[in-house]
Amino acid sequence: MSCWVFAVADVYLGGEPLAEVVRSGFVESRHNGSVAVLGADGEVAAWGGDVIGTVFPRSASKPLQAVGMLRAGLRAGPADLAVVAASHRGQPFHLAAVLRVLGEAGIPTGALGCPPDYPLSEDARDELIRAGHGREALFMNCSGKHAGMLRTAAANGWPLESYLDPDHPLQQRITAAVEDLSAESIRAVGVDGCGAPLLALSLRGLAGALRRLVEAPEGSHERAVADAMRAHPELVSGDDAGGDDTQLMRAVPGLLAKSGAEGVVAAALPGVGAVALKIDDGAMRARLPVLAAAFERLGVSVGDLAEVPVNGGGRRVGVVRSVW
């Protein structure tokens, strides 16, 4: 389909049926959405719904933001870089990594601009509550990104207290990097759940940006982020049952994957292609089955992650599956 010419639109028009929820042989729910599939050459190989309308990629854009931080002067080892690009689940090793990113630059946790929260991991949350802890910014799943932003600002002598302002030099550098990686102009700027500027992209642009990271030459900032995330997938999300990105990258060697809120996920595999998708109603349960169907079109299997179980009475009675 490389003969088609795609523009970028300001408005996202919505998608088409992508997934259904089957319980006891009965289809009880359906999810619409959009999905962009790029081939090894970077051209659109398949699509469903609206892949040129702009959407908020949410945390799926964190790898791109991490590249922007490196371009702006961030210096971090692979493990630290992985947690900077993470939506971590607040497990002890995640918190230790975030504290290391801050501590090596002499930045206190009080400088974190993300809102206080509990860890996404239920076990980690329960352990902290038993220990008498309340919600803290450190525990919030975006604290790694915020630690990276603060460390980048400190390295440049930029103000720390205003690092989340869209006009801050840090955010301007990140915006420039996202536009470069996606080959798109930012059509809208919002506020993410963590308080950071949120840049709207098309799904085609998001998929292309992830592909650029995995296809970049060794030694480049893009490749550094991709390699860090793939070398430390447990830091990108978590090693518990909710760590979808970790499971994906462990299941498919070489895969770079990053999920975001409101039903967004993007992934790329060098020499194969890239996928970005959004479920219109924001349902997270439909992402993996549709992602699996998209990669099947590129000849790649994600194994057991292709189906999400539906339980009833403590046992499996159905499945969330792709219909695309």
Side-chain angles (χ1 to χ4, degrees), residues 1-220:
M1 297 182 181
S2 60
C3 60
W4 288 83
V5 176
F6 291 86
V8 178
D10 292 334
V11 179
Y12 175 65
L13 299 178
E16 62 184 62
L18 293 183
E20 63 184 13
V21 182
V22 182
R23 179 182 296 274
S24 304
F26 181 86
V27 177
E28 67 171 350
S29 299
R30 294 180 175 86
H31 296 289
N32 286 7
S34 300
V35 53
V37 182
L38 306 186
D41 58 359
E43 297 290 337
V44 177
W47 73 90
D50 180 6
V51 301
I52 63 172
T54 48
V55 301
F56 282 139
R58 303 300 297 270
S59 287
S61 61
K62 283 179 177 174
L64 316 186
Q65 293 171 308
V67 172
M69 292 181 223
L70 288 178
R71 291 183 180 181
L74 174 65
R75 296 293 179 265
D80 291 349
L81 195 53
V83 83
V84 166
S87 296
H88 68 72
R89 296 184 57 76
Q91 295 173 278
F93 57 91
H94 294 131
L95 305 184
V98 177
L99 288 172
R100 184 173 61 245
V101 173
L102 291 171
E104 290 181 353
I107 301 171
T109 57
L112 290 168
C114 50
D117 204 350
Y118 285 117
L120 294 177
S121 166
E122 293 183 3
D123 289 343
R125 178 201 63 198
D126 293 348
E127 183 63 30
L128 287 169
I129 291 174
R130 282 193 292 267
H133 290 278
R135 300 174 188 269
E136 295 184 20
L138 174 65
F139 305 154
M140 201 264 175
N141 74 91
C142 299
S143 65
K145 177 180 75 175
H146 283 254
M149 288 180 173
L150 285 165
R151 186 161 165 170
T152 306
N156 286 281
W158 295 330
L160 300 188
E161 64 276 4
S162 58
Y163 78 96
L164 295 179
D165 188 325
D167 293 327
H168 191 282
L170 167 70
Q171 300 302 337
Q172 292 295 302
R173 298 291 185 89
I174 290 175
T175 298
V178 173
E179 289 187 326
D180 174 53
L181 294 168
S182 65
E184 293 182 358
S185 297
I186 300 303
R187 302 300 182 95
V189 180
V191 180
D192 211 338
C194 66
L198 181 59
L199 309 176
L201 297 172
S202 73
L203 291 173
R204 182 197 60 177
L206 179 60
L210 264 287
R211 176 184 172 274
R212 182 167 175 180
L213 266 61
V214 300
E215 297 291 356
E218 290 188 23
S220 65

